[in-house]
Amino acid sequence: MVLNIAEISRAIQKNMAEYEEKINFEETGHVLSIRDGVVLAYGLNNVKAGELVEFENNVKGMVLNMDANSTSIVLFSDDYAVKEGDVIKRTEKFVTVPVGMELLGRVVNPLGEPIDGLGSILTKEELPIERPAPGIIERRSVYEPLHTGTKVVDALIPIGRGQRELLVGDRKTGKTTITIDAIINQAECNKTGKINDKIFCIYVAIAQKASTIAKIVEILRKTGALEYTIVVAIPPSSPAPLQYIAPYAGCTMAEYFRDNGMHALVVYDDLSKHAVAYRQMSLLLRRPPGREAYPGDIFFVHSRLLERAAKMSDEKGGGSLTALPIVETQAGDISAYIPTNLISITDGQIFLESELFNKGIRPAVNIGMSVSRVGSAAQKKAMKKVAGTIKLDLAQAREMESFAQFASDLDVQTRTLLRRGACLVELLKQNKNTPMSPAKQVVAIFVGVQGYLDNILINLIKNFETDIIETMISSYPEILQKIDFSGDLNKEAIDTLHKVAKSIAQRYQSKSAMKEKEA
C-alpha cells in the first residue's frame, strides 16, 4: 500500500479544523484577593480597560487597573458573593445599557435593569456607556430654545437645545426643583408636536435617597411627565462603581434619541456625589490622589460626559441632547474644586443662593452670578422684546440696595429704581411644579418691564399677574397661541397687551390706594 503524503496532510488539517470549531476558547482568570468591592485577579492577560467581566453566581464587574502581573476589577454588586479562587470570565465587550423607546416611563438602575416592579423591559438595542462625543463637523450651533417653564430662567438665563447649563448651589436651595419643572414643562410640547419635535427626558439620580426618588417619580407620574421620561436611580447604599457609571448610562440612553433625529434632555443629580463615588473607587484602586484626594483625571471624567451634549447638524439628523448637571456647594463656595471644574466645562451656570431662598425668593436664582453663554441665541423673539431691560433693572436695583440702606433720604429716581426692582423680584417668584408656557411668561414679564406694577402693593402683584393671564386666555387666546407657535410679538399684540394691562393696573392701583389709607 502506497501512502500519499498530500492526502494524509489534508486529512489531518481537516480533522484539526473540525476539532478547533468544537473547542470554546474562553480566556479566564482567577480571584487573587478581594477587599472593599475591588477584586485583584490574575490570568486575564488580554483583557481591556473598561471591559465587562463575569464571576460565578452571575456577579459582574468592570476592569479598571491593569498591572504587569494582575488586574483590578470593581464589582457592580456586594462582594460577599465573590471569594478567593473564583473563576472570572471575559465577555470581550464593554459595559452596555439597553436603549430605546421601551425604557420610557420606567425606573431603572445604571445597568438598565428595572427597579420599579413593573416587569422586565424588552429592548432591541444596546449601546456602550462610554462613547466618543460628536466632532465639531457633526454639530451645529445652538438655535432652538428649550423652555424650562421657570420665568427667571427662560427670561434671563435662557437655555437652548444642545446646551450644557450647570445648576450650582447649596443643598435645599431648589436645584432639583428647576430641573423637574423643566421635565414637566415638556408635556405641552410633547402633546402637540411630531415625534421629531418632542423632547424625551432622562433623570439620573446619583446617590439620592430612595424616598426622594419615589417622591420625584410620583410627581412625574401625576403630571403626566413620566410617560416621556426615563429615571435612572441608584441609592447611596449601592456600590461606588454603580454610582460612577450612572450618568454615563443615562447619557447613552439620551443619545439614542439624539442620534435618531429626536431631542433629549438629561439631568445629572448630582455630579458632586458622582465625584465622591469616583474618588472612593480610585482610592480603593490605589491610584495616586490629587487635590482634596480626588484623582488627577476627575476633570476628564466629567468633561468626557458633558461633551456628549450637542446639537447635531442636519446631515446627522438634526437631533439634540441638552444636559442640566447639578453640583452642590458648601456655604455658597463656587470656587471649590468640583464646582470650578464643572463651570469651566459647561456653557453657563444658574447659581441658587441660600440667602435668597431663606428670604422667600423662590426660585432663589442669583441673577448677577448666573449666565447663559449660548441660550440668548435660542431665545424666542417675543421674550427678547419684552425682557430686554429686566436683567439691567434687577442688577441696578440690587446694587442700589446696598447703598440705600445707609441713606436716610432718597431722591425720586432712586426710589423708583428700588421700587421697580422689588416689583420684578416679586413677579419672578414662582411656586414649584407649576411651569408656565412661553406665552404666559411673555405676558407676565411685559407688565413688569413696562412699569404697570410700579404703583401696586407688593402683596397684590401675584394677583395682578394671575388676572392679566386669565384675561388674555379668555378674551385674546389667539395672541397667546401665536406667541407659543411663532415665538414673535407683533405691534397688534403689543397694543392689546398695553390696553389690557392698563385697564387691570387702574383697578389694582385703586385697591393699593385704599389699603394704604387703611394702614
Side-chain angles (χ1 to χ4, degrees):
M1 182 179 178
V2 180
L3 295 176
N4 190 324
I5 297 175
E7 288 182 4
I8 295 172
S9 178
R10 282 197 297 270
I12 293 173
Q13 287 176 357
K14 182 182 177 183
N15 288 336
M16 286 180 66
E18 290 175 355
Y19 184 70
E20 284 179 358
E21 286 178 5
K22 296 175 184 177
I23 298 175
N24 183 18
F25 289 101
E26 277 189 347
E27 184 177 341
T28 60
H30 293 83
V31 175
L32 189 62
S33 66
I34 179 167
R35 182 175 59 189
D36 297 323
V38 175
V39 171
L40 194 66
Y42 69 92
L44 299 171
N45 299 323
N46 299 311
V47 77
K48 299 175 182 177
E51 185 177 328
L52 185 70
V53 294
E54 289 183 353
F55 296 80
E56 297 173 22
N57 302 320
N58 203 29
V59 176
K60 294 179 181 178
M62 181 172 63
V63 175
L64 282 184
N65 279 11
M66 293 179 294
D67 300 322
N69 300 314
S70 62
T71 305
S72 295
I73 303 165
V74 291
L75 297 178
F76 289 148
S77 59
D78 293 326
D79 55 13
Y80 63 84
V82 178
K83 60 184 184 297
E84 290 183 18
D86 280 358
V87 176
I88 310 168
K89 289 194 297 184
R90 283 187 65 192
T91 62
E92 297 189 11
K93 65 178 183 179
F94 295 101
V95 181
T96 60
V97 289
V99 296
M101 306 290 283
E102 298 84 358
L103 289 165
L104 295 172
R106 302 299 300 271
V107 183
V108 298
N109 67 12
L111 295 174
E113 299 164 345
I115 56 174
D116 52 7
L118 299 177
S120 59
I121 304 172
L122 301 175
T123 57
K124 299 174 184 176
E125 192 176 350
E126 285 190 350
L127 290 173
I129 63 169
E130 292 275 11
R131 303 178 74 204
I136 294 173
I137 304 301
E138 297 173 307
R139 301 173 183 240
R140 66 167 297 177
S141 58
V142 173
Y143 71 97
E144 299 168 298
L146 186 139
H147 295 290
T148 64
T150 304
K151 285 179 288 187
V152 66
V153 174
D154 291 341
L156 303 174
I157 320 149
I159 299 170
R161 296 186 186 184
Q163 189 174 342
R164 302 155 299 174
E165 186 77 10
L166 178 68
L167 283 92
V168 57
D170 291 358
R171 64 186 302 272
K172 299 291 183 184
T173 51
K175 301 184 296 297
T176 300
T177 299
I178 289 178
T179 59
I180 296 301
D181 285 356
I183 293 174
I184 295 170
N185 193 55
Q186 308 313 316
E188 287 302 316
C189 170
N190 290 353
K191 279 178 186 175
T192 56
K194 301 175 183 176
I195 187 71
N196 288 359
D197 293 331
K198 291 185 176 183
I199 297 180
F200 298 97
C201 305
I202 295 86
Y203 177 76
V204 183
I206 307 166
Q208 302 289 335
K209 292 188 295 184
S211 59
T212 302
I213 296 168
K215 198 179 295 181
I216 289 170
V217 170
E218 188 57 30
I219 290 169
L220 295 175
R221 183 178 285 111
K222 281 183 178 178
T223 55
L226 191 61
E227 63 186 40
Y228 56 82
T229 303
I230 304 168
V231 178
V232 180
I234 188 72
S237 57
S238 299
L242 276 180
Q243 296 178 33
Y244 164 67
I245 69 167
Y248 295 98
C251 187
T252 295
M253 293 174 190
E255 283 179 326
Y256 168 83
F257 301 105
R258 183 200 69 190
D259 295 342
N260 285 280
M262 294 174 274
H263 304 282
L265 167 66
V266 61
V267 176
Y268 305 119
D269 190 5
D270 65 60
L271 291 185
S272 52
K273 291 186 175 69
H274 177 252
V276 169
Y278 185 63
R279 176 173 63 181
Q280 177 187 334
M281 202 168 66
S282 298
L283 291 173
L284 289 171
L285 288 166
R286 299 187 180 278
R287 292 180 175 178
R291 177 177 166 184
E292 296 180 26
Y294 288 105
D297 63 340
I298 188 66
F299 183 92
F300 177 62
V301 164
H302 286 149
S303 64
R304 75 172 187 261
L305 168 69
L306 295 170
E307 284 295 335
R308 291 162 70 177
K311 169 63 184 172
M312 305 302 287
S313 64
D314 293 338
E315 291 77 14
K316 290 291 181 178
S320 70
L321 170 54
T322 309
L324 294 180
I326 294 173
V327 64
E328 186 180 301
T329 56
Q330 304 293 328
D333 182 17
I334 61 170
S335 64
Y337 186 32
I338 301 302
T340 49
N341 276 357
L342 291 165
I343 287 170
S344 64
I345 295 167
T346 49
D347 306 311
Q349 69 277 346
I350 298 171
F351 180 56
L352 291 99
E353 201 170 23
S354 298
E355 184 183 346
L356 295 175
F357 188 87
N358 294 333
K359 283 181 181 177
I361 301 173
R362 301 174 188 178
V365 177
N366 183 320
I367 305 300
M369 297 181 70
S370 302
V371 65
S372 173
R373 302 187 187 98
V374 176
S376 58
Q379 198 172 29
K380 286 193 173 183
K381 290 181 180 178
M383 185 61 83
K384 276 186 181 179
K385 286 179 180 177
V386 301
T389 62
I390 188 170
K391 194 162 189 176
L392 180 62
D393 290 342
L394 284 166
Q396 287 179 334
R398 184 152 192 183
E399 185 180 356
M400 196 60 70
E401 275 180 2
S402 58
F403 292 102
Q405 61 184 334
F406 299 110
S408 57
D409 190 24
L410 300 173
D411 60 272
V412 176
Q413 187 178 358
T414 303
R415 285 201 300 270
T416 304
L417 185 65
L418 291 172
R419 173 73 186 175
R420 173 71 62 86
C423 291
L424 291 175
V425 168
E426 185 66 23
L427 182 69
L428 291 173
K429 289 181 183 178
Q430 192 170 342
N431 294 329
K432 66 178 182 178
N433 305 140
T434 55
M436 292 176 69
S437 70
K440 292 178 182 177
Q441 290 183 22
V442 167
V443 172
I445 301 297
F446 177 86
V447 296
V449 172
Q450 294 297 321
Y452 287 106
L453 304 176
D454 290 356
N455 298 316
I456 295 173
L457 290 175
I458 297 294
N459 57 7
L460 293 177
I461 286 176
K462 299 308 288 183
N463 294 337
F464 186 104
E465 179 190 12
T466 303
D467 278 0
I468 191 169
I469 289 173
E470 287 180 353
T471 303
M472 293 300 294
I473 291 172
S474 59
S475 304
Y476 305 98
E478 69 282 355
I479 291 178
L480 297 181
Q481 288 171 3
K482 189 171 183 180
I483 295 171
D484 274 333
F485 289 107
S486 72
D488 204 356
L489 193 66
N490 57 23
K491 187 178 183 302
E492 181 187 350
I494 291 173
D495 292 342
T496 303
L497 283 172
H498 275 297
K499 183 179 74 173
V500 175
K502 189 175 181 180
S503 171
I504 297 175
Q506 288 174 349
R507 193 167 74 244
Y508 273 86
Q509 284 168 9
S510 301
K511 283 184 184 179
S512 299
M514 289 176 61
K515 288 197 173 185
E516 283 178 347
K517 283 182 181 179
E518 290 173 3

